[in-house]
Amino acid sequence: QRRYALLSAQVRRERGARGGLGAALTRACFTFVKHYIVQRGVLDGAHGFVAAAAKAQETFWRYLAAGWDERSP
């Protein structure tokens, strides 16, 4: 999961997108809500919760990694 997030972050940086801790937390929360509530993952019970949490975690790592390399010397 983290490997794919890092690859996606690299693509985002090449396109000029930015990231960071604030963006990572915000996007991860919205991703969880989107997958758990909007796309009705709640109807799947624990499986839906785990799937939404995994997607939110991947989104968090992607945006954090995109911002991390911006600050690297």
Side-chain angles (χ1 to χ4, degrees), residues 2-72:
R2 189 167 185 252
R3 177 178 58 184
Y4 297 118
L6 293 174
L7 290 172
S8 178
Q10 181 181 6
V11 170
R12 288 181 49 74
R13 281 191 306 274
E14 290 171 357
R15 291 181 181 168
R18 300 182 59 153
L21 182 59
L25 289 171
T26 303
R27 293 286 186 155
C29 289
F30 282 122
T31 299
F32 179 81
V33 169
K34 175 185 169 188
H35 286 277
Y36 193 62
I37 296 173
V38 176
Q39 294 183 350
R40 297 180 296 208
V42 70
L43 298 178
D44 292 330
H47 295 292
F49 180 83
V50 170
K55 187 64 179 172
Q57 182 181 19
E58 186 255 334
T59 301
F60 174 80
W61 284 116
R62 183 176 353 126
Y63 279 87
L64 187 65
W68 189 280
D69 282 353
E70 288 176 2
R71 295 180 210 26
S72 297

